[in-house]
Amino acid sequence: MTNPPVQSGDLFVFYGLLKLGAAGQPADLPLGTAGAFGAPCRFRGRMVDLGGFPGVVAGDELCHGIRWKLDDVGIVGPMDEFEDVTDDPATSLYIRTRIPLCDDSGNETGETAWIYWYNKPVDGFPPVADGNWPLDAGKTRK
């Protein structure tokens, strides 16, 4: 299902430009008031550098992210817009989906979180070292 509904209290995992303190973070998204940043977390995937912003695709590498707990569901539409999520999966740059979170050893914790999963081919894009996007590496996308 594209753009499944979210509700207040849902967790998101941010791994790139939406991380707290990230260069390139969109100034018009009030992430600090529409939700609360939490502890770092891990998840499985493969993170690549798309040229100033990362994308995560299917993979078994242990990637780094940060938890964010949603309070105001009104921000989800603007977040989807920032991530170029559309109603048509064929044209979406990212897909919002749920994934299991892991501990530092890679074991699932039982928590799930929404993530913006990259939805295009990644051939030719370099991997992000240790699956951890540096806070200072981002560039504004829009």
Side-chain angles (χ1 to χ4, degrees):
M1 176 180 188
T2 303
N3 303 331
V6 299
Q7 54 190 339
S8 182
D10 282 358
L11 284 179
F12 279 72
V13 58
F14 295 153
Y15 60 86
L17 301 187
L18 297 181
K19 286 195 305 190
L20 183 62
Q25 187 178 72
D28 60 339
L29 285 179
L31 297 172
T33 57
F37 285 96
C41 62
R42 306 293 290 269
F43 61 93
R44 295 215 175 264
R46 183 164 65 97
M47 192 179 299
V48 296
D49 183 342
L50 299 167
F53 62 97
V56 171
V57 295
D60 198 38
E61 298 165 20
L62 204 51
C63 298
H64 293 257
I66 188 163
R67 289 173 181 86
W68 182 77
K69 186 176 180 180
L70 176 67
D71 291 328
D72 180 0
V73 296
I75 196 173
V76 175
M79 287 191 327
D80 284 356
E81 184 178 334
F82 173 75
E83 297 289 2
D84 291 328
V85 174
T86 68
D87 289 331
D88 180 2
T91 62
S92 284
L93 187 61
Y94 288 84
I95 299 289
R96 180 172 28 87
T97 190
R98 286 183 95 111
I99 60 164
L101 298 182
C102 301
D103 63 21
D104 286 342
S105 299
N107 300 308
E108 291 185 11
T109 64
E111 287 182 297
T112 60
W114 294 103
I115 192 170
Y116 288 101
W117 204 257
Y118 193 64
N119 190 41
K120 301 292 179 192
V122 296
D123 299 340
F125 290 106
V128 172
D130 297 324
N132 192 4
W133 182 255
L135 287 177
D136 62 355
K139 297 177 183 160
T140 303
R141 287 202 349 241
K142 292 185 179 189

